[in-house]
Amino acid sequence: QRVLRLAEMCRRLETEEEKVLPFYPSSLAEGEQEDARRVLEETPTEPLAQAMWDYVGLERFWQRFNKAKLEEQALERERVALSQRNRRLRQLLRQYLAGISITQEMLDQPNPL
């Protein structure tokens, strides 16, 4: 739930461009972007390049998929940390309850009251 609230808060702070394009803009210079665009528009001649050409449209999908996988790993790490913290708190609670409980051994000893 905390992650969802954080995501909602971040979403409100995004600019319009970030809402439309969820990933950072290219770090290439204008000329480099034009070269890359020209290369992508050319029909590939090598077999491997032709096979990759079929999957160019999935680039955005894989970016989102990888982002989701990273978030999943981060959440798993947080879950493990919270689980360890929960075990420690339960252990401390058991120790506390054992310290305040009355045992039969205590009742068998002479009591000044």
Side-chain angles (χ1 to χ4, degrees), residues 29-69:
E30 189 63 37
E32 293 171 324
Q33 285 181 3
E34 290 174 18
D35 291 343
R37 202 175 0 255
R38 190 179 67 251
V39 168
L40 285 174
E41 291 171 357
E42 294 175 359
T43 304
T45 56
E46 298 175 11
L48 179 59
Q50 288 175 346
M52 288 177 59
W53 183 260
D54 296 336
Y55 297 97
V56 168
L58 293 175
E59 183 178 348
R60 180 74 68 195
F61 164 78
W62 286 115
Q63 286 176 337
R64 289 176 185 258
F65 177 82
N66 290 333
K67 183 175 184 241
K69 281 304 227 183

Side-chain angles (χ1 to χ4, degrees), residues 84-97:
Q84 290 173 349
R85 183 176 180 202
N86 188 26
R87 275 195 299 276
R88 178 68 180 138
L89 289 172
R90 285 177 185 267
Q91 179 186 17
L92 290 172
L93 182 59
R94 270 191 239 105
Q95 288 175 356
Y96 172 76
L97 292 175

